[in-house]
Amino acid sequence: MANYDILMVRFGELSTKGKNKKDFIQTLYLNIKNSLKDFPSVEVEKRYDHIYVHINNENLDSVLNRLLDVSGIHSISLVKRVEKDIEVIKKTALDLIKEEEGNTFKIIAKRGDKTFPMVSDEINRAVATEILKNTSLKVDVHNPDIPLSIEIREEGAYLFCKTVPGLGGYPLGVGGRCLLMMSGGIDSPVAAYLLMKRGITIECVHFASPPYTSQGVIYKLQDLLHVLNRYQGEIRLNIVPFTEIQDAIYANTDESYCITLMRRMMYRISTELAKRRHCKAVANGESVGQVASQTLDSLIAINEVTNYPIIRPLATMDKLEIMNIATKIGTYDISIRPFEDCCTIFAPKNPKTAPKLDDIAKYEAKVDYDSLIKKALDNIEVQIIK
Ligand code: ATP
Ligand code: MG
């Protein structure tokens, strides 16, 4: 493969953001620099329209792979920089285009450096002639298989025809911070990924019910968050002691309402923790209709305890779509490791799909849950996963 010198990063959706654009680019620039800190000789250069990553002595594929995990990147072109000599440019263009697949091409020259002796059109023609002479490719100016760009700048001539799609979304951090309810199943890590891709920094809350749930669940969460560290280098995990609340619920509630009450307690605690941690929303892996506690009727009953924004990135996704994303990002195999979740351990035989608010109030009045919630919040264990 041609030894490319530079990766040219395009912003995509950012360009529609008007006056926020500068902040976005600055955030993306810092995120890119941060993600490449294991490559000491790489240089990151910020320009108005692109970010250039100079590979220098590092391995191009490794650097490219890191960039594919950075949100807010629309696409990345592999760029070859050569001296501003038309003979060198012609030869390089030919070398690059020979590595591509397709039958048609188009040369798109831009002369940024006006001291260069040929105008864009002359460059287009000279290079196209060279390619027509030495390959069986044909020119197609409207819909070429291989568009080859040549930019003449002060520092040199930049050639590129290989472009790969980036992760898309927004740069991490521009969307603020959100508290994600993280269970260790398949869904919540996918929700985490979708939030981060949208530019939202996450922090996690997990409800642990030892001895019903084991330390193995925590190890599993750590492994999942390590995978997600690819998108966010440091993730805070808040572990809430939930056993006492859970015992109180099961001792004082009709079995069919246990899950409803449990979810309401989780929402109450998450809302309070989100406020304390300056998170602007609570998120989870709920998907409408997936289980009894996720019907719209159940969501009314559960959501009633909070007026905070609740983001459900998976709300309308099929399990299969969710599993595909989990596989793609590498969390699936960890998620399917057998483990106990507080929701599954006490899973009632007949959970209510349409819980009634009157009945809920009756069951919740039997215990001083406010004190139990306060106690749980005061005894959170924090781990930083990085
Ligand atoms: P997952 O695959 O993420 O475990 P699920 O399909 O098993 O989800 P539920 O167990 O009903 O669904 O949970 C729905 C959502 O509630 C989860 O995606 C997660 O966001 C949150 N949740 C469930 N259990 C816990 C827990 N122990 N701690 C924190 N959040 C939880
Ligand atoms: Mg679960």
Side-chain angles (χ1 to χ4, degrees):
M1 186 161 97
N3 37 353
Y4 289 97
D5 312 291
I6 300 167
L7 293 171
M8 185 170 96
V9 173
R10 291 189 195 76
F11 316 135
E13 217 176 327
L14 292 198
S15 47
T16 62
K17 280 283 171 178
K19 70 178 167 50
N20 292 332
K21 183 168 168 178
K22 233 174 123 186
D23 292 346
F24 278 49
I25 296 174
Q26 177 63 12
T27 304
L28 181 59
Y29 168 72
L30 294 175
N31 291 351
I32 287 177
K33 275 183 81 137
N34 194 38
S35 79
L36 297 177
K37 57 177 189 283
D38 295 337
F39 303 95
S41 73
V42 157
E43 284 166 82
V44 185
E45 180 195 352
K46 186 178 57 164
R47 296 242 180 168
Y48 179 72
D49 47 351
H50 299 125
I51 288 173
Y52 291 97
V53 176
H54 299 265
I55 302 299
N56 296 331
N57 296 317
E58 308 291 346
N59 177 276
L60 179 120
D61 285 334
S62 315
V63 174
L64 180 60
N65 268 326
R66 283 300 296 123
L67 291 179
L68 294 179
D69 291 333
V70 177
S71 61
I73 294 181
H74 175 71
S75 66
I76 302 172
S77 288
L78 285 65
V79 179
K80 177 89 186 150
R81 183 167 63 179
V82 296
E83 57 185 290
K84 291 181 288 182
D85 174 313
I86 190 65
E87 291 309 318
V88 178
I89 292 170
K90 276 156 61 177
K91 183 180 177 312
T92 309
L94 183 62
D95 288 348
L96 294 186
I97 219 157
K98 276 182 176 168
E99 285 181 10
E100 300 302 310
E101 280 175 27
N103 301 315
T104 58
F105 75 99
K106 176 186 181 179
I107 309 295
I108 308 144
K110 273 193 208 136
R111 190 179 61 141
D113 171 11
K114 301 298 177 202
T115 66
F116 191 74
M118 299 165 82
V119 298
S120 308
D121 220 38
E122 290 170 320
I123 305 170
N124 283 341
R125 246 173 283 155
V127 176
T129 307
E130 177 78 5
I131 289 165
L132 289 168
K133 214 165 39 181
N134 293 288
T135 67
S136 56
L137 295 170
K138 299 214 164 33
V139 173
D140 180 347
V141 290
H142 299 297
N143 191 21
D145 297 334
I146 316 165
L148 174 79
S149 296
I150 302 174
E151 291 184 12
I152 310 290
R153 303 224 212 134
E154 230 162 279
E155 327 84 79
Y158 290 63
L159 286 81
F160 56 92
C161 56
K162 194 188 282 298
T163 299
V164 294
L167 192 61
Y170 292 139
L172 188 73
V174 299
R177 192 152 49 137
C178 174
L179 183 68
L180 172 72
M181 299 164 68
M182 180 89 178
S183 63
I186 294 168
D187 301 335
S188 30
V190 173
Y193 162 75
L194 293 172
L195 290 163
M196 295 185 291
K197 184 161 128 61
R198 201 63 193 160
I200 298 170
T201 308
I202 61 155
E203 156 162 351
C204 295
V205 57
H206 176 73
F207 298 91
S209 306
Y212 309 119
T213 62
S214 72
Q215 185 64 20
V217 179
I218 305 298
Y219 297 142
K220 188 176 181 186
L221 288 174
Q222 291 168 346
D223 289 349
L224 286 168
L225 294 178
H226 272 305
V227 172
L228 296 173
N229 277 147
R230 287 217 312 272
Y231 310 100
Q232 180 181 323
E234 200 176 300
I235 302 174
R236 181 181 170 115
L237 171 62
N238 302 279
I239 303 169
V240 178
F242 201 56
T243 315
E244 215 176 328
I245 291 174
Q246 211 169 1
D247 282 341
I249 292 172
Y250 281 89
N252 296 284
T253 314
D254 183 83
E255 196 193 303
S256 63
Y257 272 81
C258 282
I259 293 280
T260 310
L261 258 71
M262 205 164 77
R263 309 272 320 152
R264 285 166 62 97
M265 300 304 160
M266 286 186 181
Y267 268 48
R268 288 186 172 110
I269 293 171
S270 299
T271 301
E272 182 53 32
L273 180 60
K275 287 179 185 166
R276 290 186 189 183
R277 295 287 311 150
H278 306 290
C279 294
K280 292 172 182 162
V282 169
N284 61 43
E286 286 168 339
S287 170
V288 175
Q290 200 187 75
V291 289
S293 60
Q294 294 170 26
T295 62
L296 289 180
D297 287 313
S298 275
L299 290 180
I300 290 180
I302 292 165
N303 216 123
E304 194 217 15
V305 302
T306 181
N307 57 10
Y308 223 54
I310 307 291
I311 303 182
R312 300 179 176 89
L314 312 184
T316 61
M317 284 191 194
D318 293 343
K319 194 73 188 184
L320 210 61
E321 294 174 70
I322 299 169
M323 283 159 58
N324 284 341
I325 300 177
T327 306
K328 188 183 86 182
I329 63 175
T331 54
Y332 184 79
D333 288 339
I334 304 172
S335 289
I336 58 171
R337 272 191 229 152
F339 81 114
E340 333 76 26
D341 184 66
C342 54
C343 287
T344 44
I345 287 192
F346 295 100
K349 277 173 227 81
N350 297 304
K352 275 270 177 282
T353 51
K356 294 193 185 65
L357 293 177
D358 289 352
D359 289 336
I360 291 170
K362 189 180 71 194
Y363 294 126
E364 285 189 352
K366 291 186 174 184
V367 177
D368 178 9
Y369 285 110
D370 287 347
S371 308
L372 292 181
I373 287 171
K374 184 175 179 308
K375 192 170 161 198
L377 278 162
D378 289 342
N379 287 285
I380 288 177
E381 181 203 329
V382 174
Q383 296 186 8
I384 306 292
I385 314 295
K386 54 180 166 186

